[in-house]
Amino acid sequence: MRHTRQWEVLALDWDGPCVESAKVYYQSVCHLFQRAKKPEPSFAYFRDAISASVDQFHENSGITQYFTAEEARKMREAYVKRHWKKIHLTPGTRTLLRTCACLAIPVVIVSSNEREVIERKLGEYYLQRFVQKIFSSGNKKESLEKAAKRFRVPFSKMLFVEDSSEPIIAANELGVTTVAFLGGFNSQAKLLSANPAFVAQHMQDVTGLIAQR
């Protein structure tokens, strides 16, 4: 007897759910504030204010009054490059990807981070073969639409793991099943306000959702 799967595509945000990068990006922001001789934001403020991207945070925080957006981006990239080894795979991510492979559930990355950055880290952990597609864009709603079209699945058959509130709200509008990941950037209160379908403290929780029949 053939069992129908509850979800047919797993979409993962990269920074937060897949890799523990919040501290490194926060420190890169502090580095910019130090260069501008401005008071550094708290980590808690940074986590909740960075829903779109680090570049957007630069603009919203006023740091682009001291540096151009391009200068800020280059300084951030240089900082991240120097501290690249501090960015580690989130515990449970490898098992989740292997579980999806065993169940023949395609995995896509939906992220505002650069494709090259994501591919490099996947390569370090030998995980490229477990990811079918990377959608690199600041518009995650559009990326989810492209993923649904690419794999010919209804939005209701997609499970999206995200650690920022705005993309969860956008995915809910499409009818995508959303999982708020608590171990990443936004606080639990902000994530819960986005009304996700599920909440995951760890990536093991996502594996449990995927494996259930």
Side-chain angles (χ1 to χ4, degrees), residues 12-13 15 43 46 52 64 73 75 80 82-84 95-96 102 104 119 129 136 138 147 158 172 174 179 202 207 210:
L12 297 172
D13 176 35
D15 290 285
F43 183 51
F46 169 78
T64 48
R73 182 183 64 80
M75 283 189 277
V80 172
R82 291 197 302 272
H83 298 85
W84 180 257
T95 299
L96 172 61
C102 290
E119 289 176 340
R129 64 192 177 96
S136 176
M158 295 179 64
N172 284 341
L174 291 175
V179 180
H202 308 286
T207 302
I210 284 291

Side-chain angles (χ1 to χ4, degrees), residues 145-164:
E145 290 173 330
K146 290 180 178 178
K149 184 176 181 180
R150 165 69 174 77
F151 293 96
R152 299 179 180 179
V153 297
F155 292 124
S156 61
K157 287 289 187 178
M158 295 179 64
L159 188 68
F160 177 42
V161 183
E162 172 64 59
D163 68 338
S164 296

Side-chain angles (χ1 to χ4, degrees), residues 109-127:
I109 302 295
V110 175
S111 174
S112 59
N113 208 332
E114 295 87 353
R115 178 188 301 273
E116 294 76 14
V117 171
I118 297 169
E119 289 176 340
R120 179 184 172 189
K121 190 58 73 173
L122 284 171
E124 287 182 5
Y125 287 98
Y126 305 101
L127 296 174

Side-chain angles (χ1 to χ4, degrees), residues 137-148:
S137 170
N139 189 333
K140 293 186 180 179
K141 186 174 185 179
E142 185 178 272
S143 293
L144 289 169
E145 290 173 330
K146 290 180 178 178

Side-chain angles (χ1 to χ4, degrees), residues 4 14 26 40 44 47 56 73 79 81 106-107 112 122 135 142 152 154-155 167 170 172 182 205 211 213:
T4 58
W14 180 250
Y26 168 66
E40 300 168 15
R47 286 182 67 205
Q56 189 64 51
R73 182 183 64 80
Y79 186 94
K81 185 176 181 180
V107 175
S112 59
L122 284 171
F135 294 93
E142 185 178 272
R152 299 179 180 179
F155 292 124
N172 284 341
L182 303 184
D205 300 329
R213 293 287 186 177

